[in-house]
Amino acid sequence: MDAPVIDLLQLYPRDMNIYGDWGNVLVLRKRLQLRGYDVRLHEYNPGDEFPGQVDLIVGGGGQDSGQNKIQADLHALGGRLKELADDGVPMLAICGLYQLFGNFFKTHTGDVIKGIGLLNVDTVGGPTRMIGNTVLDSSEFGTVIGYENHSGQTFLKEGVQPFGTVTKGEGNNGQDGTEGARYRNVVASYLHGSLLPKNPAVADFLVRHAALRRHGSFNDVRLDVPYEAEARESSAARPR
Ligand code: GLN
């Protein structure tokens, strides 16, 4: 029998892919392959044709200038992405793309980059960047470890839950203790690092929902990845 296929889409790898965000794609692909899935990786840049079949979507962070470059294309795609999110497609949006999945990002220079409103969050650029190692407490995923670097301060609105609560670092806005956002099977976060190698529970949430939605089942074998526990412990202990 042929291996079951998962179509994994990386949004805007050319303009939105910093601080190791590509590592998220590698982890999702590897964890699916180790469980017997045949992963088709699609890279989508502005102007490309959107694939007909998509099971899992990932997008990374970017400079304000990168966000400006993709904004028109993202608006054209917005309706499609919202439909997919509402239909349960798992998505991971990091930092710059997280902001543009929201309603808007008003940069510290006053430019407004419109978002697609997939997440009911607003972002306003602050005078200082929030930079450093970050640790979260998440009711769904346990301890989450990463690295943040953003000027945008994001505020969650109705219908959106936080991804976690910061125990080290600034999080969404440096004020209310929240970090990231959760809606349906969408996970959005400021955390680079990349996020998924150190947070397998988050990676497995995404791959599980992709497989369940496409195939009606998930081959949930336990993966013993060497050095994973060590990497988590040493990262969590790192100074801010
Ligand atoms: N340009 C955005 C900000 O500074 C996002 C940065 C990022 O993706 N790291 O807030």
Side-chain angles (χ1 to χ4, degrees):
M1 216 181 74
D2 288 344
V5 173
I6 294 287
D7 286 273
L8 167 60
L9 176 75
Q10 187 185 15
L11 279 176
Y12 307 117
R14 210 161 56 206
D15 301 303
M16 303 291 288
N17 189 7
I18 51 174
Y19 309 125
D21 285 339
W22 164 241
N24 293 325
V25 177
L26 297 181
V27 166
L28 292 169
R29 183 167 67 180
K30 193 71 190 174
R31 293 184 84 85
L32 282 161
Q33 286 170 339
L34 288 171
R35 293 182 169 113
Y37 293 90
D38 176 8
V39 180
R40 288 194 199 131
L41 178 60
H42 307 266
E43 297 192 9
Y44 178 91
N45 288 299
D48 286 350
E49 197 177 324
F50 198 78
Q53 175 72 42
V54 176
D55 306 310
L56 178 52
I57 297 180
V58 196
Q63 317 279 356
D64 296 4
S65 57
Q67 291 173 287
N68 253 319
K69 275 195 211 153
I70 61 134
Q71 95 169 285
D73 191 273
L74 180 64
H75 291 154
L77 268 194
R80 183 82 171 271
L81 292 174
K82 280 198 262 189
E83 267 170 37
L84 292 171
D86 283 330
D87 197 43
V89 171
M91 303 185 185
L92 176 69
I94 300 295
C95 200
L97 199 70
Y98 165 30
Q99 295 171 340
L100 299 189
F101 269 25
N103 299 319
F104 62 82
F105 172 32
K106 185 171 177 199
T107 70
H108 70 290
T109 54
D111 293 334
V112 177
I113 307 177
K114 254 187 77 198
I116 58 171
L118 187 154
L119 297 168
N120 191 14
V121 306
D122 297 343
T123 303
V124 180
T128 49
R129 296 192 74 80
M130 294 178 261
I131 305 176
N133 294 312
T134 306
V135 179
L136 317 181
D137 191 16
S138 153
S139 55
E140 286 177 288
F141 305 107
T143 302
V144 175
I145 300 148
Y147 170 82
E148 63 183 329
N149 184 350
H150 55 108
S151 69
Q153 302 178 327
T154 297
F155 295 90
L156 307 182
K157 307 280 171 174
E158 214 186 317
V160 180
Q161 303 305 313
F163 176 41
T165 308
V166 279
T167 54
K168 184 194 293 177
E170 304 275 7
N172 277 330
N173 50 52
Q175 295 168 26
D176 62 16
T178 65
E179 204 294 317
R182 284 275 295 108
Y183 168 74
R184 304 288 309 259
N185 292 328
V186 179
V187 176
S189 173
Y190 272 111
L191 301 187
H192 304 278
S194 12
L195 177 72
L196 297 183
K198 289 194 284 289
N199 298 288
V202 183
D204 281 351
F205 168 87
L206 296 164
V207 300
R208 174 181 299 109
H209 284 288
L212 285 174
R213 185 174 169 279
R214 171 95 183 245
H215 300 289
S217 65
F218 174 53
N219 183 22
D220 198 1
V221 290
R222 199 189 127 101
L223 303 178
D224 285 312
V225 179
Y227 311 122
E228 195 173 82
E230 227 176 290
R232 277 176 61 74
E233 274 161 38
S234 68
S235 303
R238 224 168 269 157
R240 170 74 174 157

